[in-house]
Amino acid sequence: MREFKKIADWKFWILMPVFGLLIPFAIKELTGNLKILGVIISLFIINIIFSVFVGIYLRRHGSFWYLLIVWPLIFCLGVVLNLFPDAYGYYFGIVYFIIELYAYTMGQESEVDIDDQIPIDGGIKEVK
């Protein structure tokens, strides 16, 4: 239950369907060059920034890593509902997952205090 309280921020869970379903639905209703511009702005700029936000948000709130799959699944649901073509929609879902994963694990590549640790291979001989 404590884990659920960490991720129960309603803004976070409302934004995912908005970016994955409502914005693509609005873009689908556009025509001509506005539609192309809307797809580029939505897929490449807004959703990538949102993917970074989701990864950082989940890491800062101490959430489980498997919640990273929720945003790409909601986006792929939009592809299933024909809001984006299948030809590139699923690939963008994979790209968003990879971007989230990078944002989630960012800064965890190395141990920051590795030089300050005491080696204990032979045991600590003398404690003062």
Side-chain angles (χ1 to χ4, degrees):
M1 187 66 169
R2 196 173 103 199
E3 180 67 27
F4 180 72
K5 288 181 183 179
K6 288 181 184 178
I7 59 159
D9 187 13
W10 64 272
K11 296 174 201 168
F12 174 70
W13 293 102
I14 295 295
L15 285 177
M16 281 196 284
V18 167
F19 285 113
L21 302 173
L22 292 179
I23 290 176
F25 178 75
I27 290 172
K28 187 176 181 179
E29 299 301 317
L30 296 174
T31 59
N33 290 338
L34 287 176
K35 185 173 187 174
I36 295 170
L37 184 64
V39 167
I40 291 170
I41 289 173
S42 172
L43 291 178
F44 289 105
I45 298 172
I46 296 174
N47 286 350
I48 287 176
I49 291 171
F50 185 68
S51 296
V52 171
F53 166 75
V54 169
I56 292 172
Y57 177 86
L58 290 175
R59 182 184 73 219
R60 286 196 179 151
H61 285 80
S63 301
F64 292 120
W65 64 268
Y66 52 80
L67 290 174
L68 292 172
I69 197 71
V70 174
W71 158 236
L73 285 178
I74 289 176
F75 181 80
C76 289
L77 178 65
V79 175
V80 170
L81 297 173
N82 292 323
L83 299 177
F84 287 115
D86 296 344
Y88 57 82
Y90 295 116
Y91 297 114
F92 274 108
I94 294 169
V95 167
Y96 298 151
F97 176 71
I98 292 169
I99 290 171
E100 277 182 326
L101 196 58
Y102 281 136
Y104 186 80
T105 59
M106 182 176 55
Q108 299 176 4
E109 298 89 21
S110 63
E111 194 68 38
V112 288
D113 64 343
I114 194 78
D115 296 329
D116 298 331
Q117 294 179 357
I118 301 172
I120 58 168
D121 291 340
I124 297 176
K125 304 293 181 193
E126 185 176 323
V127 179
K128 292 182 182 184

